[in-house]
Amino acid sequence: MKHGILRSLALAALVGSLAACGGDNGGGTEKGKSAAAGDTGKAAAGAQPTPQRPATSFALGSTAAQAQACQQQRQARLDSAAAALQADSTAKRPGAGRNPLFAKEKGWYPKMPAFADGSLLPCNRIVVYYGNPNSKKMGALGEYPRDEMLARLNRQVQAWRQADPGTPVIPGLHLIAVVAQGDPGPSGKYRAQIRDAQVDSIHQMAKSINGIMFIDVQVGNDDIRNIMPRFEEFLKRPDVHFAVDPEFYMRGGVVPGRKIGTMYAADINYVMDELTRIVRENNLPPKVLIIHRFTRNMVPDVQNVRLRPEVQFVLHMDGWGAPWLKYDSYRDYVAAYPAQYTGWKNFYHNDTKKGDPLTSPQDLIQLFPEPLYVQYQ
């Protein structure tokens, strides 16, 4: 694998999490799909979106006009840095991920759909703790007791506010609500779903810090079209967002952890269509969708993802290793593919286990484009 930057596939954690997550159905009731698979996205692909009513609540977001102004500022920053570097033939070219000329050549920022009121991006940066409350090995969210975890997250948020005072920081909790498994389980789908009561408890925890929550899905041998409807009642809440991890989106009966999975643009467009429907039907502010990536084949056709005002799409660099290795991966798998916005993950343990430092906020604001979603595991 290029650069050797694989996430730890931790099969022990996968195998051990089924009972903790509460079995297969997680206590939820699956809802009917809004459209047949063959019809997914037809409305979004053609006609102009209908004007959105003012969102019910967007205390953490921006007005459409503010979001547009922030986007222009980010574009101007990139353009100015690229022009200055191009004009100075003697200047040393920055390393991978930090070269504004590379970002410009790749087409950052892509053409955006019209902004909607309540958009969290691009005026804010989202900083989250990731994990599962039933496992101390899957991330900071489950590694520490509640109060200690929230205090650690707050310190991380404050570090970002100090490093980049011009960008407000929204804290969040990123919950792995569907966990890939090393054995098939009752469903035969190699995945287990956390109980609704625990999803709600994490949401309440996020609210207690004036933050947001992400529901993250590791599909296993299932299909996102079968799993996502189960979380619709949570996604009707204005501060609950969504994520999918292609690493564990398996095909052809392959056991999670045996190889790296794949999520296609058609799968992502289904998710975005469903989020769009939920936003419109419930008069919500836009949802943020996180898609993890640390190899090209995890999302081989990302250029076919269709953007829309109701969903803000983040392609998230999810690999671990030394800083230089992560910068290379950011360049190769995220900056080279102008989706909409970008994310970055820091691993408190895996990034530093060979003595390398954890990348700091000061390091990451030097990236082009700069990540507006930062996750800590």
Side-chain angles (χ1 to χ4, degrees):
M1 191 61 57
K2 189 171 184 180
H3 304 310
I5 189 164
L6 292 184
R7 274 175 51 189
S8 171
L9 294 179
L11 276 178
L14 296 178
V15 173
S17 58
L18 181 61
C21 285
D24 238 354
N25 62 18
T29 301
E30 183 171 313
K31 299 183 179 300
K33 299 174 186 174
S34 64
D39 294 332
T40 300
K42 288 185 178 178
Q48 293 292 323
T50 56
Q52 187 185 39
R53 295 172 291 165
T56 304
S57 172
F58 58 95
L60 294 175
S62 309
T63 66
Q66 290 169 335
Q68 180 63 38
C70 290
Q71 186 60 45
Q72 291 171 347
Q73 291 171 2
R74 295 200 180 280
Q75 186 71 63
R77 174 182 177 268
L78 172 57
D79 292 348
S80 176
L85 187 60
Q86 191 167 36
D88 187 353
S89 60
T90 64
K92 182 179 179 181
R93 294 308 190 245
R98 290 165 289 180
N99 188 334
L101 282 174
F102 179 84
K104 281 291 294 181
E105 290 167 0
K106 291 300 179 181
W108 289 94
Y109 287 85
K111 183 178 180 181
M112 300 281 177
F115 286 100
D117 286 341
S119 298
L120 296 184
L121 306 176
C123 291
N124 303 284
R125 179 174 282 109
I126 301 167
V127 175
V128 305
Y129 264 14
Y130 167 97
N132 182 294
N134 300 314
S135 172
K136 293 185 176 183
K137 296 182 178 181
M138 296 182 71
L141 175 56
E143 183 174 357
Y144 307 104
R146 177 189 187 278
D147 291 346
E148 181 182 354
M149 183 271 292
L150 293 179
R152 286 172 175 266
L153 173 59
N154 181 60
R155 289 195 293 271
Q156 199 69 73
V157 165
Q158 295 306 323
W160 274 99
R161 288 174 175 158
Q162 292 171 13
D164 186 9
T167 303
V169 180
I170 298 173
L173 299 176
H174 191 117
L175 169 67
I176 314 170
V178 180
V179 184
Q181 301 291 304
D183 60 70
S187 70
K189 300 296 185 181
Y190 291 86
R191 54 99 182 115
Q193 303 185 67
I194 198 170
R195 294 186 183 279
D196 284 356
Q198 282 194 299
V199 178
D200 185 66
S201 71
I202 300 300
H203 178 230
Q204 297 306 318
M205 200 181 300
K207 289 175 66 175
S208 76
I209 58 171
N210 296 316
I212 61 177
M213 183 179 83
F214 288 86
I215 292 174
D216 193 294
V217 172
Q218 298 176 357
V219 172
N221 269 284
D222 208 334
D223 189 305
I224 192 62
R225 294 158 186 80
N226 298 329
I227 297 175
M228 186 179 179
R230 180 247 158 139
F231 296 103
E232 180 164 335
E233 290 304 313
F234 292 106
L235 291 168
K236 289 179 180 179
R237 303 176 185 183
D239 52 355
V240 176
H241 303 270
F242 202 65
V244 186
D245 191 346
E247 179 182 1
F248 300 108
Y249 202 134
M250 313 315 295
R251 313 279 172 168
V254 176
V255 176
R258 301 275 178 89
K259 61 180 291 188
I260 297 171
T262 299
M263 187 176 191
Y264 294 101
D267 305 313
I268 297 173
N269 286 328
Y270 161 80
V271 173
M272 296 182 80
D273 289 340
E274 287 298 288
L275 291 175
T276 295
R277 177 184 60 79
I278 292 169
V279 165
R280 290 180 179 178
E281 289 179 356
N282 297 280
N283 194 28
L284 299 173
K287 297 293 184 184
V288 178
L289 173 63
I290 309 298
I291 300 295
H292 306 284
R293 195 184 202 208
F294 60 90
T295 71
R296 190 187 70 81
N297 285 335
M298 285 174 70
V299 190
D301 56 349
V302 68
Q303 70 277 4
N304 294 328
V305 172
R306 298 188 301 272
L307 301 181
R308 69 275 332 259
E310 296 84 359
V311 185
Q312 300 197 288
F313 177 48
V314 175
L315 193 61
H316 175 229
M317 202 292 290
D318 196 19
W320 60 265
W324 65 267
L325 191 57
K326 299 185 69 157
Y327 293 140
D328 280 356
S329 289
Y330 187 80
R331 175 196 61 200
D332 292 344
Y333 308 126
V334 175
Y337 298 88
Q340 187 173 18
Y341 297 109
T342 68
W344 178 280
K345 175 182 277 190
N346 272 338
F347 291 77
Y348 283 125
H349 303 302
N350 281 348
D351 284 353
T352 60
K353 64 184 181 181
K354 294 184 178 180
D356 296 298
L358 196 72
T359 55
S360 69
Q362 291 82 357
D363 295 327
L364 299 182
I365 60 176
Q366 305 304 316
L367 296 174
F368 290 97
E370 58 183 294
L372 295 181
Y373 169 88
V374 183
Q375 183 183 98
Y376 290 85
Q377 178 169 343

